[in-house]
Amino acid sequence: MKIAVLSRNSNLYSTRRLVEEIKKAGHESLIVDHSLCDLIIEQEGPSIIYRGQKLEGVDAIIPRIGASVTFYGTAVVRQFELMGAFSAVNSQAIVRSRDKLRSLQILSKAGLGMPKTAFTNFSKGGEKQLIEQVGGAPLIIKLLEGTQGLGVVLAETKKAAQSVVEAFHGLKARIIVQEFIKEAKGADIRAFIVNGKVVGAMKRQGAEGEFRSNLHRGGVASVIKLSRVEKQAALNAAKALGLDIAGVDMLQSDRGPLILEVNSSPGLEGIEHATGINVAEEIIKYAVEGVQKKYPKRDQTQ
């Protein structure tokens, strides 16, 4: 079968590994830069023109949609879905997970543990109340559009927190204010989920003096065995957002695992190097099984 990886950079570790495993499994691989796709919508049905050619015969897609192109990227995923291709990550699930506020609302409704979070409109003079809602300082302030640890600030005092919130509001930047979990000690856990199973997990420890554990910010990853409660929390979070492939980021706290974020395009490099698990192979297996379930009578050897 023909499996397309939607990626803007063929040299990225995750893209290369997925292509390797597609070929290893005996299937045809295709890298499609979703930002260069033209979507044709007409009475004859939806189609995609890519680099001047009509894309046809794609059985499955594996979306690797960056945060900066979520709108157009998910439109391309949706077009493939309408054309009958199996998508390893549902287009609407990507949209849900990318909207930080919406995803936290969904996780809260599902009864999952998370740091106490507050969001407000640009209400002048409401900064003090917002800070108090999450238990006061120290606290975390996050840009809703931030990724890879960018746009995340630790405010250690109420005065500092108030100044940062006022500054962001003055710039009309959308932010959330979040409880700081001191006992996490600058570390978090990422559970990698494929098709309703945790296939690997790593602990990411922030660099000395750094409260953010992101590997892009100098964090170090190591393999970790999740507790039953942590594993279930990760699975429940992915399920709540409708994600069959996800990286679920959690904090270890005195009151159990707290969900920070659910990533719909988690990178493979950190998890594969930390655990030694062939996560890319698991993703390809899932994509192939998805096509087989969707089209049980189709000849899969072609």
Side-chain angles (χ1 to χ4, degrees):
M1 64 180 69
K2 185 188 288 188
I3 303 175
V5 179
L6 305 190
S7 172
R8 298 176 69 194
N9 187 346
S10 60
N11 295 318
L12 289 175
Y13 177 92
S14 298
T15 305
R16 288 190 286 106
R17 286 288 298 117
L18 290 166
V19 169
E20 284 173 13
E21 294 302 327
I22 292 169
K23 292 177 179 176
K24 193 187 293 184
H27 302 291
E28 181 184 349
S29 67
L30 179 67
I31 299 176
V32 175
D33 182 342
H34 39 281
S35 68
L36 301 179
C37 289
D38 296 328
L39 309 184
I40 309 302
I41 303 159
E42 56 187 346
Q43 187 174 357
E44 286 73 17
S47 59
I48 295 175
I49 305 297
Y50 181 60
R51 298 185 185 275
Q53 299 291 321
K54 193 172 184 179
L55 275 179
E56 295 180 307
V58 175
D59 297 291
I61 61 169
I62 301 171
R64 302 288 308 170
I65 309 298
S68 62
V69 291
T70 297
F71 174 80
Y72 198 77
T74 51
V76 174
V77 174
R78 189 161 55 246
Q79 190 87 339
F80 271 111
E81 290 170 343
L82 293 170
M83 289 164 58
F86 173 78
S87 179
V89 187
N90 178 272
S91 58
Q92 287 307 303
I94 297 173
V95 172
R96 279 193 293 270
S97 67
R98 280 289 159 74
D99 184 332
K100 285 185 182 177
L101 181 60
R102 183 182 179 189
S103 64
L104 288 172
Q105 289 172 319
I106 292 169
L107 295 173
S108 174
K109 172 67 175 175
L112 289 162
M114 64 182 70
K116 190 170 184 181
T117 303
F119 175 75
T120 186
N121 201 11
F122 306 116
S123 53
K124 189 166 182 62
E127 292 83 5
K128 285 184 180 179
Q129 186 177 342
L130 186 66
I131 291 163
E132 288 168 5
Q133 293 288 349
V134 298
L139 54 79
I140 302 292
I141 301 165
K142 293 181 180 179
L143 278 173
L144 282 178
E145 292 79 22
T147 60
Q148 298 179 348
L150 295 172
V152 181
V153 177
L154 169 62
E156 299 195 24
T157 67
K158 283 187 179 181
K159 194 168 184 178
Q162 192 172 338
S163 296
V164 174
V165 172
E166 284 175 352
F168 277 133
H169 278 181
L171 295 169
K172 297 296 181 185
R174 296 287 182 186
I175 60 167
I176 55 174
V177 174
Q178 205 163 60
E179 169 191 11
F180 177 64
I181 308 301
K182 185 178 180 181
E183 63 267 26
K185 298 177 181 177
D188 72 3
I189 294 170
R190 168 162 287 187
F192 207 109
I193 292 169
V194 180
N195 193 22
K197 292 182 291 186
V198 176
V199 297
M202 62 179 173
K203 185 169 187 175
R204 303 181 299 187
Q205 179 66 55
E208 188 174 349
E210 174 61 77
F211 70 96
R212 296 169 295 182
S213 58
N214 305 71
L215 301 185
H216 291 86
R217 310 259 71 80
V220 178
S222 59
V223 66
I224 185 173
K225 182 175 175 59
L226 298 182
S227 69
R228 182 185 58 80
V229 174
E230 289 166 345
K231 188 178 289 188
Q232 196 58 54
L235 292 172
N236 289 345
K239 185 178 180 181
L241 294 174
L243 289 168
D244 293 319
I245 295 175
V248 180
D249 297 340
M250 303 179 285
L251 294 177
Q252 292 177 308
S253 81
D254 293 340
R255 60 182 192 264
L258 304 178
I259 308 295
L260 280 177
E261 188 175 359
V262 184
N263 194 320
S264 58
S265 293
L268 302 183
E269 188 170 9
I271 193 75
E272 288 197 338
H273 286 172
T275 65
I277 295 168
N278 191 338
V279 178
E281 181 183 32
E282 296 295 325
I283 293 173
I284 302 309
K285 282 181 182 176
Y286 169 59
V288 171
E289 288 172 8
V291 175
Q292 291 170 340
K293 286 180 181 177
K294 190 171 184 176
Y295 302 107
K297 295 181 180 179
R298 182 183 291 181
D299 183 357
Q300 306 298 340
T301 63
Q302 296 181 358

